[in-house]
Every structure is written in structure tokens, then in C-alpha cells.
Amino acid sequence: MKKSIIALTTAAILTGSLTSIANACSYSNFQDSNGNTFISRTNELPMETEEHLIVVPRGFEMRDATIEHGFVGIRHGNTQMISSGLNEHGVSIEALGYWAAEYADTEEGDATSLSIVSSVLGNAKSTDEAVEMIEKMVITYEDMKQFNGVTVAFHYAINDGKRAVVVEHVDGKPVIYENTLGVMTNDPSYPEQVKLAEASIKKVNARTTETLDVFPAYSTSSEDRFSRIAALNAAYDQNKKADDARDNGINRAFSLLNNMELVAGSMYWEFLSPKPQIIAYGNVVDIEDKAYYFRSYDNPTIRKVDLDDINFGTVSYSATPIYGAPATYVDMLQQ
């Protein structure tokens, strides 16, 4: 019998150890002063799950879809799971664990909890098209083999710079929420996350000219980190801008990514591994420039994929491991 994270969480509540298996991944999107959208996301686990950067050309046959629009993303081993991706039209999808997801109770479907990301990235030119596709799709559950029988489900953040939504499956049907908050994490459901964030935003917005030097402290739990990012975005929107490099979209996106980071030893998922949680990878997406950036827990070098430099009609499919690459640094004295 598979162990679900819902069951594990329930057990943790009963034993008073919820913080030891607190939910993980964090997500944020915001617009800069020019109206361009940037996304920051962390993928947190206690172990590697064979992550590869993939480049998928037009016409490529994936298990549940023929790819019409090329994309890049992070794929986990040789599974159908793509947890993060950006396609050539600027559609971004990030899959975050959502243990309460309820997929269709049937053996036959259009895609699974793992393959839905590639199916939509490869066939939607906008968030509107992605939503229209998903509303017609029957999605079934599929195990992610790297989790050794622990059931892991997902919800999905979709953003094309014009519309941002969160997709959750309830009773086998997709429910679409407009992501007006611009932030999300794993559990609870998105409406409950909004309630959590509103309290933090209210606290931050109550700061005055005498207290702007004070920012509320938060714990490292997923919920508190999520609330902190929501509060940071709200504070930035409300207060005076610097009109310098601090306002640069990429700089701010990486600052938010840094703020979502976990220091090894601060959180554990012992039901998966005795090792501490890590940010296995963190990524930033610049939708306007169609640029995908990422770094991994074993390498702080920021790696960039410029989708405008890829001819998705002629490029070959590729999958490159994101771990084990040597870090590169600029030697200031050798310039």
C-alpha cells in the first residue's frame, strides 16, 4: 500500500511533529515597472531526483502529446514528470506538490499528473489556451518513481505575462483560480493560501514612515516563507521605488529566490530521507525575453537558456543533467 503525504502529515499532526515534514516548494511572480513578468521558484527535496534540463523541439512525440510548440524545462529522470518549463511563446508552467489533489478515478485519460505539464507546454500559446485545454482533459494519477511509493500529487501555476492562474484538481475535475496573489506554495488549497497571505500583507502594509525599517520575521516553514514572499511583493508595490538596479526585474527575481532558500539542516522530510531538505534547484523566468535561468544545490552558477536563440523547428531533443557540473566564477584579478 502506498503511503500518501496526506497520511504522513496527519500522523505528524497527531504526534506534534508537523514541522518535520512541512511542505516545500515556493513560487512567486511579479511585474517590473515596464509591465514585464518575472517568476521565481524553488524545488525542495531531501535528495536529487535525476533532474535534467530538456530542450523539446516541435513535432517531438511525448507519451501523451505531440509537441506543437517547443519548450525547455526540468525533467525528472526518464519519467513524464516536468516540474518547470517555458515554451517558445512565453507560457510558463511550474508544478508544485499539492497532496490534496483529486484526479480522475479511471485508468484511461488524456494525460496524467506527471505528463500534464509537457502536454500543455507543448500545445498552448497562451494561458487562455492552456486553461481551455485543461478544462477538456481527463487527468489521472501517476506515481513519480523517485519517491519510492510515496504518493505525490501536484497543482500547477501557469503564466504568460498577461494572465496567471493556479490549476487544482478536485473530484477529478480541474478548478481554475486567478493567481491575483502572485505567490503560491504546496498545501493548503490556493483559496486557503490567499487567506494566509492576506494576514501577512495587512501586517506589512500597516508599517508607517517611522517603522519602515522593521519587517516582520517569519519562520522557515513553507507557509511562513510563502507568506513572507507575499508580504515582500505587497511592500514593494506599496512603497517608493529606488529607480536603480534594485528595481531590475532579474535582480529582484533572484532576490526573491534567495529569500525562499533553505539552509541545509533547517528542515527535514525523514519519511523520504534522513538527509536535510535542500533547494534541489531554483529557477527564474523572464517571460518577456523568453529566458529561463536556473541554479542547483551543488552549483551556485546561474545558468541561462535564451529561447530566442533556439530554432525549435530544427533543434534535436536533448536532456542534460543539472547536477555535477563544475561551478564557474569570474576571477576579478584576471580581467
Side-chain angles (χ1 to χ4, degrees):
M1 180 181 294
K2 297 184 179 72
K3 293 182 180 179
S4 73
I5 291 186
I6 291 176
L8 289 163
T9 302
T10 301
I13 292 171
L14 294 175
T15 61
S17 59
L18 180 61
T19 55
S20 68
I21 65 164
N23 299 326
C25 307
S26 302
Y27 169 96
S28 169
N29 71 73
F30 69 93
Q31 290 189 335
D32 68 6
S33 58
N34 296 317
N36 299 330
T37 298
F38 295 84
I39 292 165
S40 304
R41 181 259 170 88
T42 59
N43 186 74
E44 300 166 28
L45 291 167
M47 71 287 197
E48 298 176 12
T49 56
E50 304 171 81
E51 287 90 333
H52 289 68
L53 173 75
I54 60 170
V55 178
V56 184
R58 299 182 206 124
F60 187 76
E61 293 288 341
M62 302 200 80
R63 189 191 64 194
D64 294 326
T66 299
I67 302 306
E68 294 185 10
H69 313 304
F71 66 89
V72 303
I74 302 294
R75 184 172 185 169
H76 299 260
N78 61 358
T79 70
Q80 296 296 306
M81 179 57 190
I82 296 172
S83 55
S84 171
L86 176 69
N87 76 14
E88 60 182 310
H89 298 287
V91 177
S92 163
I93 303 182
E94 303 287 343
L96 281 70
Y98 177 55
W99 324 132
E102 300 169 335
Y103 298 101
D105 186 16
T106 178
E107 293 184 1
E108 297 294 329
D110 301 302
T112 72
S113 54
L114 304 187
S115 67
I116 182 175
V117 174
S118 58
S119 296
V120 175
L121 277 174
N123 290 278
K125 296 172 66 175
S126 66
T127 299
D128 289 343
E129 284 191 12
V131 169
E132 185 177 352
M133 279 185 60
I134 290 170
E135 289 179 333
K136 296 176 181 178
M137 295 171 76
V138 175
I139 305 298
T140 60
Y141 175 76
E142 180 180 2
D143 262 336
M144 187 171 169
K145 68 175 186 178
Q146 291 92 345
F147 281 88
N148 301 318
V150 175
T151 299
V152 180
F154 302 91
H155 54 182
Y156 312 91
I158 306 176
N159 196 329
D160 65 357
K162 299 180 179 66
R163 182 186 180 193
V165 301
V166 174
V167 179
E168 296 179 351
H169 285 81
V170 180
D171 292 330
K173 302 291 184 182
V175 179
I176 313 297
Y177 301 104
E178 300 300 320
N179 191 357
T180 54
L181 191 60
V183 182
M184 64 180 287
T185 186
N186 305 94
D187 286 69
S189 67
Y190 182 71
E192 292 302 312
Q193 291 184 31
V194 172
K195 293 178 183 177
L196 285 172
E198 284 175 346
S200 295
I201 292 170
K202 183 177 180 181
K203 180 187 291 187
V204 169
N205 285 346
R207 293 188 301 169
T208 67
T209 53
E210 286 77 30
T211 60
L212 282 178
D213 59 332
V214 177
F215 197 88
Y218 296 89
S219 76
T220 60
S221 74
S222 178
E223 294 84 357
D224 278 346
R225 280 180 290 139
F226 153 82
S227 296
R228 181 175 67 241
I229 299 302
L232 284 168
N233 280 339
Y236 186 74
D237 289 340
Q238 175 176 287
N239 296 310
K240 184 178 179 179
K241 307 298 182 292
D243 295 325
D244 60 21
R246 282 168 287 191
D247 298 327
N248 176 276
I250 287 294
N251 292 346
R252 178 166 172 75
F254 273 102
S255 290
L256 288 168
L257 185 66
N258 293 342
N259 210 275
M260 298 173 187
E261 290 273 12
L262 283 174
V263 176
S266 62
M267 185 180 290
Y268 288 80
W269 271 11
E270 291 188 324
F271 62 93
L272 282 180
S273 170
K275 297 180 180 180
Q277 289 281 86
I278 52 174
I279 304 299
Y281 74 84
N283 66 279
V284 164
V285 175
D286 180 343
I287 288 182
E288 179 68 20
D289 282 349
K290 298 185 181 68
Y292 186 92
Y293 303 82
F294 72 96
R295 65 189 182 207
S296 56
Y297 82 96
D298 67 337
N299 188 340
T301 303
I302 296 172
R303 286 156 273 182
K304 176 184 178 182
V305 181
D306 190 335
L307 276 69
D308 287 332
D309 290 342
I310 302 173
N311 184 333
F312 285 101
T314 60
V315 72
S316 297
Y317 176 89
S318 64
T320 306
I322 69 170
Y323 304 123
T328 58
Y329 305 101
V330 175
D331 189 334
M332 296 296 293
L333 299 182
Q334 297 299 319
Q335 293 191 76

